[in-house]
Every structure is written in C-alpha cells, then in structure tokens.
Amino acid sequence: MIDLSGKSAVVTGGSRGIGRAIVMRLAQQGADVAFSYRGNEAAAGETVAAVEALGRRAVANAGDVTKPEAADALVAAAIGAFGKVDILVNNAGITRDDLIMRMSIEAWREVLETNLFGAFYATKAVMRPMLKARAGRIINITSVAGQAGNAGQANYSAAKAGLIGLTKATAREVASRGITCNAVAPGFVLTELTSGLSEAIQAGIRTATPLGRFGSPEEVSAAVAFLASDEAAYITGQVLGVDGGLVMM
C-alpha cells in the first residue's frame, strides 16, 4: 500500500476538480497538504475541512500562480506549517480555447503563464529546500493535448507540451540529489470543465478512447500518489498516461 505518512505536500490549484482529488488522495495516504487556490474561498475551506476530517493537516493559500511571489508564499506557508516540503504537484491550469486565427494574444499568454510559467515558479520555489534535504518528488500534470495536440487548443497544447520538457529537464538536473520529477498526462476526465460538453462531443470522446469512457479525477490522483511514494523511487523523467489508451507512445 502507498504510504505517505510523515510527508508534506504542496499542490497548486487544489480546491476543485483534479486538484482537489489529488489533495484528498495524498491526505488519505497520510500526507499533510498545502494547496493554492485563486478565487473560490468556499471550495478551499471545504477542502481544508475534508483533509482535517482525515486527521491530516491542511493549509489553503490564496494566490495567482502566474506570480512568482505566490509560489514563494505557498512554499513558505507549507514549510511554516509542516517544517518541510517532500512533494510538489503542479496542477493549476486553465483553458482559453479558440482557433489560432481567432485566438487573442491575451488568451495565448494567460494559458502559458498559468499552466507553464506557474509550474516553473513553483518548481523553483521548492528547489532549495528539496536540494538541501536531498530528497523530493515533483509531479507535473500535463495532458494528452501536450502529447498529440488538439485543434482549438494551441495555447493549452503548447503549455502542456512545455510541461513535459520542463519535467525532463528538471529530472536531469536534480536526480543526483535524490529528487525525482515525473508527469501525469490525463485524457478526458469528468470535471467541471468537461461536464458542459454536448452529448455528441462526449460520445465522440468515448468512441476515440480505447477503454470507451471518461476517466475520473480519482484515477488521476492515484497515479500522482504512486509517483509521490517510495514505490516510484527509481522512476524519473517519465510521462505516465492516465487516458484510457487515447495516446499510445
């Protein structure tokens, strides 16, 4: 069984959807968790209460991941509460979909700054304490869109592909200090973002996915918990697809 007892984790974008599932899974496996959220204070408070109900400690930190100082504040809050950071999960992400010819520069920049720059800032913020501890787990939430591309998502696909490059570069930089860095690439997962898709689009997704269904946030969080654990100590620089077979590489 995956045991994260005594570990402390930082999760960006942890109040809803896949991020909340990751926070809860890490707590269920024994970790204390600090997470960031941007605007939904009620959802953040409910997530804190759910973690504490499991007997673990939780810290919710409001902040914009596009700001380097927000990453520093999140990591400082985790260290202040738990004394260390063993696990970082870069999950925060947004979509601003449109075709390239219609996509605004603002929509391009906003997605890149949230999904890719934000992950870099958080990784940079945990680097010194993890290097000092000579241990750590960094897990980036990428996407099948970053592996295969997706029409109407040039910004999102580029950001998620960039995350894969960041994962591999980070893994090479920190391996000698006992730190691993991996990515999880979800396929189509039922969240607030996908629940609004028309039934025709949802049916097309199910048809394109070999397992014939959407994934769940809990299935993504299970992969994250594995990569965060001692069970994955010899795995680094890898992209683990949790996509029902949608992308096979």
Side-chain angles (χ1 to χ4, degrees):
M1 186 182 100
I2 292 171
D3 184 8
L4 300 177
S5 299
K7 303 291 187 182
S8 67
V10 168
V11 180
T12 65
S15 64
R16 296 183 295 170
I18 290 173
R20 185 185 189 282
I22 290 169
V23 169
M24 295 308 301
R25 177 62 66 111
L26 296 178
Q28 287 161 6
Q29 307 295 160
D32 297 316
V33 188
F35 65 91
S36 68
Y37 67 98
R38 188 162 62 173
N40 195 329
E41 188 173 347
E46 190 275 330
T47 302
V48 168
V51 170
E52 291 176 341
L54 295 170
R56 307 313 314 159
R57 293 176 292 172
V59 173
N61 202 75
D64 182 350
V65 297
T66 68
K67 309 297 184 187
E69 55 269 26
D72 293 336
L74 176 60
V75 171
I79 292 174
F82 313 137
K84 58 178 183 168
V85 175
D86 301 297
I87 301 157
L88 168 66
V89 183
N90 284 310
N91 164 78
I94 61 170
T95 56
R96 297 288 185 268
D97 297 351
D98 214 338
L99 297 175
I100 290 172
M101 66 180 297
R102 292 203 299 253
M103 184 176 290
S104 69
I105 300 303
E106 183 182 21
W108 169 266
R109 181 178 290 116
E110 190 176 1
V111 170
L112 267 289
E113 289 186 346
T114 300
N115 299 19
L116 181 58
F117 287 35
F120 170 75
Y121 298 148
T123 299
K124 188 173 177 65
V126 301
M127 196 57 65
R128 193 176 302 277
M130 283 190 177
L131 289 172
K132 188 175 179 181
R134 302 186 72 89
R137 298 280 186 269
I138 300 170
I139 299 134
N140 296 321
I141 307 302
T142 179
S143 168
V144 293
Q147 297 172 304
N150 202 21
Q153 287 194 314
N155 47 6
Y156 187 78
S157 297
K160 293 300 190 177
L163 266 181
I164 293 173
L166 176 63
T167 298
K168 294 177 182 291
T170 304
R172 290 189 182 277
E173 282 193 23
V174 300
S176 65
R177 294 295 187 97
I179 303 165
T180 67
C181 183
N182 293 287
V184 174
F188 290 97
V189 175
L190 282 175
T191 64
E192 290 178 23
L193 287 177
T194 55
S195 61
L197 296 174
S198 70
E199 182 51 45
I201 292 175
Q202 291 193 33
I205 290 169
R206 286 191 288 268
T207 299
T209 303
L211 285 181
R213 64 175 179 85
F214 281 75
S216 71
E218 289 71 28
E219 287 171 316
V220 177
S221 70
V224 172
F226 165 66
L227 290 173
S229 75
D230 291 341
E231 307 294 325
Y234 200 56
I235 301 172
T236 197
Q238 304 303 307
V239 180
L240 176 56
V242 184
D243 62 3
L246 189 62
V247 174
M248 299 189 189
M249 302 183 72

